[in-house]
Each structure stands twice: as structure tokens, then as C-alpha cells.
Amino acid sequence: INEIAEQLNVQYVVEGSVRREGDSVRINVQLIDAKTGSNIWAERYDRDYSKLFALQDEVIGRIVEALSVRLTAGEKTQIARLPTQNLEAYDFYIRAEQKVYAIDYKSLEEALSLYQNAIKLDPAFADAYSGYARATVDVLGFDFQRLMLSAVARQRAYEAAGRALVLNPQSSRAYAVLGILQMLDREWDQALASAQKAVAIDPKGDHRLTELVGAD
């Protein structure tokens, strides 16, 4: 943890696990001082799965309380923003997020399908669109032609990123995806502008995407 924290320049790290059994969910959370490795706060929650979003707010509130920090109005708004009101769509999205970073053909195929399922359940789910756009960019980057032809992947990535930004103009990931696509199209000024917007919105966002945009 110390090495990762030093690389990312963070002081605290939140670790946890989630286990779901039927309609119940158990979450173990701990807040760690990344510099010393000491445990600042830890808690276990057993809740009904239908109360997941309320539990999320509760956990965030406890972490903020443990850190003794005062949030700005903008930070409170950002934290309070629910990605979707549809729990089933959110479940598909979380499962996709677990697959998309594996960077192999099978995992990427599964991630794309899971994102699509989330979008079908909630067509206004901005994060699902940006996640789908990111996964589709990986189809291009790793040349998974069996999964999707490059021309089709490029078009779908543009469309999904654009839709994500319509639904949530503060989507850092969507701007990062646009930057990659614009770079591939040799639209250097637009790519740089998109990358800068992505970093401005979320400096600790999907760095792999924004670093690619900044590459020569």
C-alpha cells in the first residue's frame, strides 16, 4: 500500500470487500493511513441489497467523519450523485467494471455485454455509456477484430462517449475516451483539449487513458 500511495500521492486508502447472498449484502470497509499502514477506522455492514445506495451514503459519511474533513458544496453534490436508480443496472455495471481492466479478449467481451445490459435497463445511465466507450477503445487498441471490426468499434466508442457527456457533462472518463479517439484520428488539438478536461474534472481518474492521449 505504501508504494502505491507514494506513486499516486495519496494519504489515505479505503479497502473493503462486498459479499452478496440472495437479497442480503455484507460490506467490510476500512480506512488506512497510506503513509504508516495504520488502521484509522473499520466497520462491517449487513444490509438488505435494496438499501445498497443508502448504505453507500452511510459509508461515505462515516469516512468523511473519520477524516474530520469539511466538504464543499460541490463535493457534496458530486458524492451524492447516484449513478443510477436501478439496482439491477448498477449490478451489471459493477460486474463490467471488474472485467474491463483485465485486458483480455474474453473479459472484454463479457464487460461489453454487461455494460449493454446496464444501458438497456437504464438508458440514462451515463457511467455505463462511458464504461462501454472505454471498453470499445480497448477493442481498437488491442485489435480484437473477432470481437468487433475497428470501424464499428470506433463509431460505437464515439457514440457512447458522446451520449455519456450528454447525460453527465462532468464525465472524466468520457472525455478521456474522446481524447483517445481524436488522437487516433490525428485531431491533436481536440485530443489535448479532451484530455485536459478529463484531468481537470478528475485528476485521479482513468490515468491509462489520459496518459495515452498525452503521448506523442
Side-chain angles (χ1 to χ4, degrees), residues 51-111:
K51 306 297 184 182
L52 182 62
F53 291 144
L55 175 57
Q56 175 180 288
D57 291 341
E58 182 179 346
V59 171
I60 292 173
R62 289 297 304 278
I63 292 173
V64 170
E65 181 182 334
L67 292 175
S68 299
V69 297
R70 181 175 297 177
L71 299 177
T72 65
E75 289 170 335
K76 290 179 180 178
T77 299
Q78 185 66 21
I79 290 174
R81 186 183 71 84
L82 294 178
T84 176
Q85 296 288 343
N86 189 309
L87 273 174
E88 189 176 358
Y90 189 68
D91 185 59
F92 278 125
Y93 172 76
I94 292 300
R95 288 161 58 193
E97 291 285 282
Q98 294 171 344
K99 296 286 185 180
V100 76
Y101 290 98
I103 313 299
D104 65 75
Y105 180 90
K106 184 62 177 177
S107 295
L108 198 55
E109 182 180 35
E110 292 176 0

Side-chain angles (χ1 to χ4, degrees), residues 7 29 46 54 77 83-84 87 118 172:
Q7 292 174 2
V29 188
D46 291 293
T77 299
T84 176
L87 273 174
S172 172

Side-chain angles (χ1 to χ4, degrees), residues 89 114-125 128-130 132 160:
L114 290 165
Y115 284 129
Q116 287 176 314
N117 287 337
I119 291 169
K120 287 178 183 177
L121 288 170
D122 182 1
F125 193 170
Y129 282 103
S130 63
Y132 180 84

